[in-house]
Amino acid sequence: MISSTNLTDSPHSRLFRRLTLVTVVTVYLLIIAGGIVRSTGAGMGCPDWPKCFGSWVPPTEVSQLPSDYQEIYGAKLKGEVEFNAVKTWIEYVNRLLGAFTGLLIFAVLVVSVPFLRSGHPKLFYASLAAFILVGFQGWLGSKVVSTELHPLMVTLHMVVAIVIVFVLLYILARSYSENLAAGKVQNAKRINTLILTVIGLSFVQIIIGTQVRESIDLVVARLGYASRNRWIEELGLEFYIHRSFSIILLIANILLYFWVNKFVSSFSPLSTLARWVLVVVGLEIAVGIILAYMGVPAFAQPIHLTLAVLLAGVQFIMWLSLDMNTKEQDHCRLVAELS
């Protein structure tokens, strides 16, 4: 039986935490893979779903396809289909990783079932939510293909991926509550407000970034992938808003860092997380500069997206850590008053 107050004293709990951690890492790898798909233009590398060119194992050369494959798949998608082995396998590997992620999330759900009877039902319900969301994400993936990469569907697909990350991070943080709640915190309400603010700013920046990405897609349609050095100059106001907003995001996270160092004990996980936030913000801005001034190199695009989601994830863990810390301090205060 799992203890109702402590998740660290059971082999089952340790298995659950490790499995959740592996799943979180895999989801971030999936976000990287999705970014690679977009940056290489491989989104239609497999013109059908869930199979790829009608097969569970995609072809490696055009001779393996029927001579009228363009007519077959072009008619299905209302567009021209051009086979490219590299793009086909980039998209297919992305799908395989997505399927593997779904299996991991299902495993997390199965392992979470005993928590229903052990005083931690939220872990089960959060695991169930992650499983439902990954099923919805799979359906969205089919719609992304059937709508030929419609910008709204692509953006929604990414937003759901971020929500899945947050649900898994919630599960992970709650299972490590004894570690994250350590340390003394002063002015918790002020820090809580600032953390929620920087999370909101991060989400705004991600949404603006998706608008920039959609604008780039339109530019690519006109200029092609051979003209990467001209993409930025063809973008509109949304790019300059995105670039300028990064300054606001940087200032907010620097302020958060100084507040945490002022009001939180140095050995608290919050202090460590605040330092990591600054590191990720710095890397994110550096990659953004590379994208803007070095011709939008393909390798930098998925890194930029992944760092943005990683930043929001670390900020979210900070908020969870503060919440657990505050509840722990309130509990200790209540015990002291009663005794």
Side-chain angles (χ1 to χ4, degrees), residues 109-127:
L109 173 62
V110 171
V111 177
S112 72
V113 171
F115 291 125
L116 271 173
R117 305 185 303 273
S118 63
H120 301 281
K122 289 182 179 180
L123 291 175
F124 168 77
Y125 291 120
S127 301

Side-chain angles (χ1 to χ4, degrees), residues 12-270:
H12 176 270
S13 299
R14 290 193 292 270
L15 171 63
F16 180 74
R17 286 196 301 270
R18 290 168 184 168
L19 184 58
T20 304
L21 179 60
V22 170
T23 305
V24 169
V25 172
T26 304
V27 172
Y28 272 103
L29 291 176
L30 182 59
I31 291 173
I32 293 175
I36 292 173
V37 168
R38 291 202 75 180
S39 66
T40 57
M44 295 304 295
C46 291
D48 49 344
W49 193 95
K51 294 184 178 181
C52 186
F53 284 104
S55 174
W56 291 112
V57 179
T60 56
E61 53 186 40
V62 71
S63 62
Q64 296 173 327
L65 292 169
S67 58
D68 60 344
Y69 79 92
Q70 289 182 314
E71 180 180 344
I72 295 172
Y73 296 102
K76 181 180 179 181
L77 297 174
K78 301 182 179 61
E80 182 180 356
V81 175
E82 187 70 36
F83 175 73
N84 180 306
V86 174
K87 291 184 178 181
T88 292
W89 277 90
I90 288 175
E91 166 60 11
Y92 193 68
V93 169
N94 177 54
R95 292 186 184 184
L96 289 177
L97 186 57
F100 179 64
T101 302
L103 291 175
L104 283 176
I105 291 177
F106 177 69
V108 170
L109 173 62
V110 171
V111 177
S112 72
V113 171
F115 291 125
L116 271 173
R117 305 185 303 273
S118 63
H120 301 281
K122 289 182 179 180
L123 291 175
F124 168 77
Y125 291 120
S127 301
L128 178 61
F131 180 69
I132 293 172
L133 282 169
V134 82
F136 179 60
Q137 181 76 327
W139 176 81
L140 276 178
S142 69
K143 292 303 178 183
V144 169
V145 174
S146 64
T147 59
E148 297 185 80
L149 309 182
H150 189 282
L152 178 61
M153 296 306 299
V154 172
T155 299
L156 183 58
H157 194 57
M158 187 201 70
V159 170
V160 173
I162 295 174
V163 174
I164 292 173
V165 169
F166 270 48
V167 174
L168 290 171
L169 288 176
Y170 171 85
I171 297 169
L172 190 64
R174 289 299 176 186
S175 64
Y176 277 102
S177 58
E178 293 82 3
N179 304 89
L180 287 177
K184 185 178 180 181
V185 179
Q186 298 176 344
N187 292 316
K189 289 185 178 180
R190 182 184 297 183
I191 298 176
N192 182 72
T193 300
L194 185 53
I195 292 176
L196 290 176
T197 299
V198 295
I199 291 175
L201 291 174
S202 294
F203 262 97
V204 170
Q205 182 72 325
I206 290 173
I207 295 301
I208 298 174
T210 62
Q211 302 305 308
V212 174
R213 178 65 234 192
E214 290 173 11
S215 297
I216 289 178
D217 288 343
L218 296 175
V219 172
V220 172
R222 289 191 289 109
L223 302 180
Y225 283 89
S227 302
R228 283 182 178 271
N229 60 329
R230 294 177 53 196
W231 289 357
I232 295 298
E233 64 187 46
E234 296 290 327
L235 296 178
L237 180 62
E238 65 277 359
F239 166 72
Y240 298 99
I241 294 175
H242 185 61
R243 187 178 65 179
S244 301
F245 199 81
S246 63
I247 299 174
I248 298 175
L249 193 63
L250 175 62
I251 293 172
N253 281 282
I254 290 175
L255 180 60
L256 175 61
Y257 173 79
F258 281 111
W259 275 21
V260 168
N261 275 273
K262 181 178 180 180
F263 298 118
V264 179
S265 57
S266 58
F267 61 86
S268 170
L270 274 171

